[in-house]
Amino acid sequence: GDSVTQMEGPVTLSEEAFLTINCTYTATGYPSLFWYVQYPGEGLQLLLKATKADDKGSNKGFEATYRKETTSFHLEKGSVQVSDSAVYFCALRGAAGNKLTFGGGTRVLVKP
Amino acid sequence: DVKVTQSSRYLVKRTGEKVFLECVQDMDHENMFWYRQDPGLGLRLIYFSYDVKMKEKGDIPEGYSVSREKKERFSLILESASTNQTSMYLCASLTGSRNTEAFFGQGTRLTVV
């Protein structure tokens, strides 16, 4: 079945540092890929998505590129802020499925 | 603005009580989901529904049931609450189009004492 593996946290950074969170997946066909963010005490909200190979999703300074050859969708941000402290989830929606498969989540803490 | 609304942000219930968690979406989505989230365990799917009156077990259905009598509403029921069901519960909805994302409610933090 479909699966998503993302790096475990917590990841602790200083403000203005570069952030990367690795995400790899296993799926048949051509899934759609998503990054969600969860701020403390809240539900998940979509950060960005990519629906086909080589697509780049971007939002709020975050980027991720759908790499079919490496089955990856790594999240990056060039200069993080304290307000980026959150839990980040990588997810896929399979070609045949009507549900999302999530990675385990990565907690990011940005210190001033 | 699209919305998934969970009936409570915080709930405290006693062991053995029957607990209802309600979720309503206004996007006419076919698919709805209930997850629980615990530290170190990520999101775990409890049940989902792909149509009115239809339901499928997720990864951890034991101790839970669900009801979907109307398309916009999906209820999670704890028949007899136990302390190990203390958790954050998240509802989500999803349309049938493969390229679209799921929308989540704000979460219900349930404490069973």
Side-chain angles (χ1 to χ4, degrees):
Chain A
D2 297 343
S3 68
V4 176
T5 303
Q6 64 181 101
M7 59 189 288
E8 291 188 20
V11 174
T12 304
L13 303 163
S14 297
E15 212 165 17
E16 299 184 1
F18 183 86
L19 170 68
T20 183
I21 304 175
N22 290 339
C23 171
T24 57
Y25 67 89
T26 302
T28 54
Y30 297 88
S32 294
L33 301 174
F34 307 88
W35 275 101
Y36 282 84
V37 59
Q38 184 182 34
Y39 299 106
E42 299 183 10
L44 277 68
Q45 54 185 276
L46 180 72
L47 181 59
L48 54 83
K49 68 179 182 182
T51 58
K52 61 183 188 294
D54 301 323
D55 265 4
K56 178 186 283 188
S58 61
N59 187 26
K60 299 182 181 181
F62 290 89
E63 293 183 341
T65 301
Y66 187 164
R67 301 285 188 200
K68 183 135 182 83
E69 63 276 10
T70 54
T71 62
S72 64
F73 193 52
H74 305 322
L75 183 68
E76 297 181 337
K77 185 174 186 181
S79 177
V80 293
Q81 305 300 312
V82 172
S83 57
D84 293 324
S85 297
V87 181
Y88 294 81
F89 291 91
C90 185
L92 72 82
R93 183 171 183 181
N98 58 353
K99 57 180 178 175
L100 292 181
T101 301
F102 286 89
T106 303
R107 181 174 299 278
V108 173
L109 176 61
V110 181
K111 296 186 174 180
Chain B
D1 198 17
V2 296
K3 270 210 157 165
V4 178
T5 304
Q6 295 182 226
S7 53
S8 304
R9 288 296 299 268
Y10 301 95
L11 274 180
V12 180
K13 296 292 182 180
R14 294 195 179 277
T15 301
E17 274 193 77
K18 191 169 186 176
V19 181
F20 293 85
L21 302 183
E22 307 285 345
C23 176
V24 176
Q25 51 99 359
D26 64 0
M27 296 164 282
D28 202 36
H29 284 174
E30 300 87 346
N31 308 292
M32 296 187 74
F33 308 84
W34 276 105
Y35 295 89
R36 67 176 280 177
Q37 183 180 21
D38 301 288
L41 296 176
L43 292 172
R44 293 184 291 169
L45 182 63
I46 304 171
Y47 267 97
F48 68 101
S49 168
Y50 53 88
D51 202 350
V52 175
K53 297 190 186 294
M54 307 303 288
K55 60 185 179 185
E56 294 264 351
K57 292 180 180 179
D59 302 317
I60 51 162
E62 297 78 19
Y64 303 95
S65 63
V66 291
S67 172
R68 192 159 180 210
E69 296 296 319
K70 294 185 177 182
K71 191 175 186 180
E72 66 270 20
R73 186 179 298 269
F74 191 37
S75 303
L76 180 69
I77 303 155
L78 287 66
E79 296 290 342
S80 177
S82 64
T83 55
N84 63 13
Q85 292 177 311
T86 292
S87 187
M88 169 73 97
Y89 290 87
L90 293 167
C91 175
S93 73
L94 183 69
T95 188
S97 171
R98 188 183 73 82
N99 294 335
T100 57
E101 66 271 22
F103 292 85
F104 281 80
Q106 75 278 30
T108 296
R109 183 162 295 282
L110 173 67
T111 302
V112 183
V113 297

